[in-house]
Amino acid sequence: MEFLKSAVASAIAKGSSLPFSLGDRVDIGDSIWTLHNGTKRDDSSACSVFTFDIAANKSRLPLAKNAVRKSRTLRHPGVIKVLDTIETETNLYIVTERVAPLAWQTKRRSLSEETAKWGLYTISSTLKFVNEDASSVHGAVRASSIYTSESGEWKLGGFDILSSMKEDDAIIYVSLLVPKTLELDENTDIRQTYGSLVPDGGRYTPPEVAKGGWDVIKRHPLAAVDAYGLGVLIYEVFNGNFSGGDQVGKTTNIPPSMHQSYKRLCTANPKLRLSPGHFLEQGKKHGGFFQTPLIRMSEDVESLGLKSDAEREQFINELDELADDFPEDFFKMKVLPELLKSVEFGGGGPKVLGATLKIGSKLSADEFNAKLTPVIVRLFSNPDRALRVCLLDNLPSMIDNLPQKVVNDKIFPPMTSGFTDVAPVVREQTVKAVLTVINKLSDRVINGELLKFLARTANDEQPGIRTNTTICLGKIAKNIGQSTRSKVLIAAFTRAIRDPFVHARNAGLLALGATVEFFTDDDCASKVLPAICPALLDKEKLVRDQANKTLDLYLQRVRKTASTMADTVLPPPSTAPQPQKSDVQIGTSNDKSWAGWAISSFTNKIAAADGDIAPTATATKPSEPEIPRPTSLPRPEKSSPSAQLGLPRQQPLRPVAQPLGRSLSDRPATAVPEPVEDDGEDVFDAWGAMDDDEGEVDPFTAAVATPKSESPAPSASRSPAVPYDDGGEPDFAGWLAAKSQAKTKNPLPKGLHKASSTNTVPTRAAPKPRAVAPAKKIDIKPKDEVQDDDWGDAWD
């Protein structure tokens, strides 16, 4: 039946013009009121609605009207906050802040000792106000009259018989109105008052009232009735249930520090009872039962913004000491807003901010976004470095509650100022914070702004920041775009390997080992492995050991790839007969020594130079070209009588191939042929081309470099090469002279030019067409001293 009435009342409220809508019914035990969770229509905020059905409880209507009237006028932090009161022909409504019955927690005995003391401290303070300041008697102090707010604070309610002792017609001791036409029988108690209409009043009524009625309160101390009720409440809080007067004064489960004061509250003589005000004073004495961190914090939090730095620091220290079983709702609803005010406007500093974020970590995502996110966004733009460092340190605890759009658009832009801050600690914490926010940044931000700032910190003057940047890049490698990932990582990590700071080098090797999967096989072989090798002989064993481990990873990768490659990409050799090679060779193709191929190539060129003879021009007989020869040989006769008579001609003289045992200095000098354009690229140019990084802009450094306009470099004109003087070796000098003439337009690459010296043979001018080049004079006189040719200086 009660459920049906509640459903009907709820339906009426939802369909009416009331400023609230009723929700679920809340069980509050024996009461003349029905409690519902409600929602305000104007702002959709949560509220509670106490409803009284006039038709069902007409005899107790004066109690309900008294509660409505007292709720409007009584204002105190320990009293339920009333938002509105509404009276209709059928119902009375009291709209309050969202509350829940304390009886739920007392019956489950879920209250910790610290929380129970804090709640009793609040009720004692409220009763002191009611008794002393308002000169009133509550008359129904018990667990069913206490409620807890959303902040976990205990609130006093149940004002059905709340009466001011200054009023002559106070409802607590006014007799029931009996109609004159009603005939009273002998069992009717004409002394019955409205105070006795409170549900379940028999268990909680003080002894003097039970004997002499509510009128006796006029002859006793004003606070005696409420003091007795406070003692009963203490027993219920620590024991969970109260069955009757025989339990009053028992100290079961009650903290020992409260025993003496608790017994004085429950004494049978009302004149000897300890008033709620005196009970409060005894608890607040030095070492008293109300001297707890939670109670001190609840008193100080209201004036946190007005405290000095020392007082604020003491408050935060006590806040950090609070155990996890303290009421979280109180921290969320009361402490957190005051802390936020102190941080943003009261100069609370990083310590207050740390406590704020610690409490904020216990909020749900919706609560966090409503209460903390706007403040955090504003604090990231605060110029106070200590606050920003504190925010960066606590980012891991709050990043899950921050939406991605807020992080990307509102938090990261002001956060980037930390990359260029003059304080090293700010730069370092900003680099570390990248790992926290990376998953909430867009690809455009990661591959644009973020890499530019990391390129700056990779060259930071602080070695620790450089090291952390390398570690950071290794951990966010998977988030970098594929188009720039390998270039950026290779440039950053290979630079780190060359860092003078030992831990930076070690971090570079560790990062290369962790990111091996992101590089191609060619990059591993041509760029990464050459960069790792110098670290194998690092001065620090830490670096050498890590270099060996990283090298093994890349060697395994390269060897695995090489095992799947074809043996060769060259076409199969043709079956056509090969031209006969000259017998003048030192090395052969079958020579397996490390320099066999080089010596073979060298001698082949000498043999080719000996066999090629350029024809000369003759004015009278163009069909008989003059054979070029060395000047040291006798000139042959031009014609003989036998030749004119048709006899067989003698063969022209040709240089005879020198035996291998002959000294090179005894061989005749060869003639210099006419210069021929070499279509192939010079061999030294190929060495230069292998260094593909020469002149290339480092992609990681280019990310932050200021773009400069570059004009195309003019083509460098090649200067004729200077032949090398071998110091008396005629054939080698002649070969070099011929080589220098043939390669006039293809000089040696930069770095291989040899400075001219007094021993250098000057370059000869190119001979005229079809003219015999003059032979080089051979100086066979031994040198007095060996000259240093400086051949390898350019490689140093």
Side-chain angles (χ1 to χ4, degrees):
M1 190 67 180
E2 292 295 333
F3 174 77
L4 180 60
K5 292 180 180 179
S6 175
V8 172
S10 177
I12 294 174
K14 289 181 180 179
S16 65
S17 59
L18 295 174
F20 57 86
S21 59
L22 292 180
D24 299 333
R25 177 179 175 178
V26 180
D27 183 16
I28 58 175
D30 294 331
S31 175
I32 67 173
W33 297 91
T34 303
L35 178 60
H36 292 265
N37 291 327
T39 304
K40 295 181 64 177
R41 296 184 187 275
D42 54 355
D43 57 1
S44 299
S45 61
C47 64
S48 291
V49 180
F50 290 87
T51 63
F52 178 80
D53 188 353
I54 297 176
N57 296 282
K58 185 173 292 186
S59 61
R60 292 171 175 168
L61 180 60
L63 301 182
K65 289 187 175 181
N66 181 72
V68 171
R69 183 167 59 90
K70 295 298 181 180
S71 298
R72 291 173 180 171
T73 58
L74 193 63
R75 292 288 185 267
H76 189 269
V79 173
I80 295 178
K81 183 179 180 180
V82 177
L83 305 178
D84 196 3
T85 58
I86 302 171
E87 299 184 25
T88 65
E89 295 180 355
T90 57
N91 292 279
L92 298 180
Y93 301 99
I94 302 177
V95 184
T96 68
E97 60 181 320
R98 177 64 63 88
V99 293
L102 177 66
W104 287 359
Q105 300 182 50
T106 58
K107 290 179 179 178
R108 294 195 304 265
R109 300 185 63 179
S110 60
L111 295 170
S112 66
E113 181 177 332
E114 290 294 325
T115 303
K117 288 182 178 180
W118 171 55
L120 292 173
Y121 172 81
T122 302
I123 297 302
S124 299
S125 302
T126 306
L127 289 176
K128 178 183 177 182
F129 165 77
V130 172
N131 296 152
E132 298 180 6
D133 297 340
S135 301
S136 301
V137 175
H138 185 279
V141 179
R142 63 193 71 170
S144 60
S145 299
I146 311 299
Y147 299 84
T148 58
S149 66
E150 290 183 303
S151 62
E153 295 175 281
W154 292 15
K155 302 286 185 175
L156 180 62
F159 301 141
D160 300 339
I161 58 174
L162 177 64
S163 303
S164 173
M165 295 296 99
K166 296 179 180 179
E167 299 176 356
D168 295 334
D169 56 348
I171 196 171
I172 194 171
Y173 49 75
V174 170
S175 299
L176 290 174
L177 296 178
V178 180
K180 295 181 179 179
T181 58
L182 181 62
E183 295 184 0
L184 301 177
D185 57 17
E186 54 190 19
N187 295 324
T188 302
D189 185 4
I190 61 173
R191 298 178 303 162
Q192 189 176 15
T193 62
Y194 283 104
S196 60
L197 294 181
V198 176
D200 202 14
R203 283 191 298 156
Y204 299 95
T205 304
E208 67 275 12
V209 174
K211 292 179 181 180
W214 286 98
D215 289 337
V216 300
I217 63 174
K218 298 179 182 179
R219 301 189 295 269
H220 298 300
L222 182 145
V225 174
D226 292 337
Y228 183 86
L230 180 60
V232 173
L233 175 64
I234 293 174
Y235 184 88
E236 286 184 294
V237 166
F238 290 104
N239 291 276
N241 193 14
F242 178 74
S243 59
D246 57 339
Q247 293 179 331
V248 176
K250 292 184 178 180
T251 58
T252 307
N253 297 325
I254 296 176
S257 59
M258 300 180 66
H259 285 179
Q260 183 177 0
S261 299
Y262 160 70
K263 289 179 179 180
R264 292 190 60 186
L265 288 174
C266 303
T267 184
N269 189 347
K271 295 182 179 180
L272 298 178
R273 286 179 194 153
L274 198 65
S275 68
H278 288 99
F279 177 78
L280 182 66
E281 290 178 1
Q282 289 190 1
K284 291 176 65 176
K285 289 180 180 179
H286 181 69
F289 47 84
F290 284 154
Q291 290 292 320
T292 66
L294 184 57
I295 293 175
R296 285 195 299 268
M297 184 187 64
S298 64
E299 289 184 329
D300 295 341
V301 68
E302 299 289 345
S303 60
L304 183 60
L306 303 177
K307 292 183 179 296
S308 63
D309 294 340
E311 293 174 337
R312 188 183 296 115
E313 184 173 358
Q314 182 181 0
F315 173 81
I316 298 302
N317 291 335
E318 291 182 352
L319 184 62
D320 292 337
E321 294 174 359
L322 295 181
D324 294 334
D325 60 348
F326 286 0
E328 293 184 5
D329 293 336
F330 176 70
F331 291 109
K332 296 176 183 179
M333 304 298 296
K334 294 291 291 184
V335 179
L336 184 60
E338 296 299 328
L339 291 178
L340 290 176
K341 292 178 187 176
S342 177
V343 170
E344 197 169 6
F345 307 110
K351 199 156 189 178
V352 177
L353 177 60
T356 303
L357 297 177
K358 182 178 180 181
I359 297 173
S361 63
K362 300 179 181 180
L363 298 176
S364 64
D366 295 338
E367 292 174 335
F368 192 95
N369 288 327
K371 297 178 180 180
L372 275 182
T373 298
V375 179
I376 290 173
V377 171
R378 291 193 295 268
L379 288 178
F380 265 104
S381 301
N382 195 302
D384 189 347
R385 289 190 178 94
L387 280 177
R388 287 160 52 196
V389 169
C390 184
L391 284 170
L392 295 173
D393 287 340
N394 288 276
L395 261 180
S397 64
M398 57 184 177
I399 191 64
D400 293 337
N401 293 322
L402 294 173
Q404 181 176 1
K405 185 173 180 59
V406 173
V407 175
N408 191 77
D409 299 343
K410 297 182 179 180
I411 291 181
F412 183 75
M415 175 181 158
T416 56
S417 63
F419 289 107
T420 57
D421 197 280
V422 295
V425 63
V426 178
R427 299 198 302 272
E428 184 171 6
Q429 292 301 324
T430 305
V431 172
K432 292 180 180 179
V434 171
L435 300 178
T436 304
V437 302
I438 188 66
N439 292 325
K440 301 228 171 161
L441 298 180
S442 64
D443 293 338
R444 179 185 61 82
V445 172
I446 293 174
N447 297 288
E449 298 177 46
L450 179 59
L451 288 183
K452 290 181 181 179
F453 286 116
L454 290 179
R456 294 175 65 95
T457 56
N459 292 308
D460 197 274
E461 60 182 7
Q462 297 293 326
I465 296 177
R466 299 196 302 268
T467 303
N468 286 330
T469 301
T470 302
I471 297 173
C472 177
L473 281 170
K475 292 187 175 182
I476 68 171
K478 62 180 179 295
N479 301 99
I480 302 176
Q482 295 183 358
S483 60
T484 59
R485 179 191 294 156
S486 61
K487 292 183 180 180
V488 170
L489 296 183
I490 291 176
F493 298 159
T494 55
R495 179 191 292 112
I497 297 176
R498 302 189 301 270
D499 196 286
F501 186 53
V502 56
H503 296 290
R505 300 197 298 273
N506 190 56
L509 293 169
L510 286 170
L512 281 174
T515 56
V516 62
E517 59 183 307
F518 299 120
F519 303 131
T520 63
D521 297 329
D522 291 339
D523 287 340
C524 293
S526 62
K527 297 180 180 180
V528 179
L529 282 173
I532 296 175
C533 288
L536 296 173
L537 296 178
D538 195 273
K539 295 180 180 179
E540 299 292 336
K541 186 177 185 301
L542 174 69
V543 179
R544 294 195 301 270
D545 292 344
Q546 186 57 47
N548 279 282
K549 295 178 182 178
T550 307
L551 183 69
D552 291 341
L553 289 176
Y554 281 87
L555 284 177
Q556 291 175 8
R557 166 84 179 271
V558 172
R559 287 169 179 167
K560 183 178 180 180
T561 303
S563 64
T564 62
M565 298 175 65
D567 293 343
T568 181
V569 295
L570 297 177
S574 60
T575 58
Q578 300 295 331
Q580 186 176 359
K581 296 183 180 179
S582 174
D583 293 337
V584 185
Q585 294 186 11
I586 297 177
T588 64
S589 60
N590 295 328
D591 192 352
K592 301 302 182 181
S593 63
W594 69 273
W597 62 270
I599 298 174
S600 175
S601 176
F602 177 76
T603 54
N604 286 340
K605 290 186 178 181
I606 295 178
D610 288 344
D612 295 338
I613 302 177
T616 57
T618 306
T620 57
K621 294 181 180 181
S623 60
E624 296 181 3
E626 183 179 356
I627 301 171
R629 61 178 180 80
T631 56
S632 60
L633 298 178
R635 184 177 297 276
E637 296 179 359
K638 293 184 178 181
S639 177
S640 64
S642 60
Q644 297 176 357
L645 294 176
L647 297 177
R649 295 175 55 190
Q650 296 180 356
Q651 294 296 328
L653 296 177
R654 292 179 179 274
V656 181
Q658 300 296 330
L660 293 177
R662 182 179 177 181
S663 173
L664 291 176
S665 61
D666 297 335
R667 295 184 58 183
T670 57
V672 179
E674 180 181 359
V676 181
E677 284 292 337
D678 188 2
D679 294 335
E681 188 178 2
D682 192 5
V683 63
F684 294 106
D685 290 341
W687 282 90
M690 288 179 67
D691 189 11
D692 54 357
D693 290 338
E694 182 177 357
E696 181 182 355
V697 179
D698 187 353
F700 193 56
T701 306
V704 293
T706 304
K708 298 180 180 179
S709 59
E710 298 182 359
S711 58
S715 59
S717 59
R718 297 180 180 267
S719 59
V722 179
Y724 173 71
D725 185 5
D726 61 349
E729 298 295 334
D731 290 343
F732 193 41
W735 176 75
L736 286 176
K739 190 66 177 177
S740 66
Q741 292 294 337
K743 302 296 182 179
T744 303
K745 294 185 179 182
N746 292 316
L748 296 177
K750 183 179 179 180
L752 292 181
H753 285 294
K754 179 177 179 297
S756 60
S757 64
T758 57
N759 296 332
T760 303
V761 179
T763 305
R764 298 177 183 273
K768 295 182 180 180
R770 304 181 65 83
V772 178
K776 181 179 181 298
K777 294 182 180 182
I778 302 173
D779 186 8
I780 62 175
K781 183 179 179 180
K783 298 292 184 178
D784 295 335
E785 58 184 15
V786 179
Q787 299 292 333
D788 186 6
D789 52 11
D790 297 334
W791 179 249
D793 290 346
W795 297 94
D796 295 337

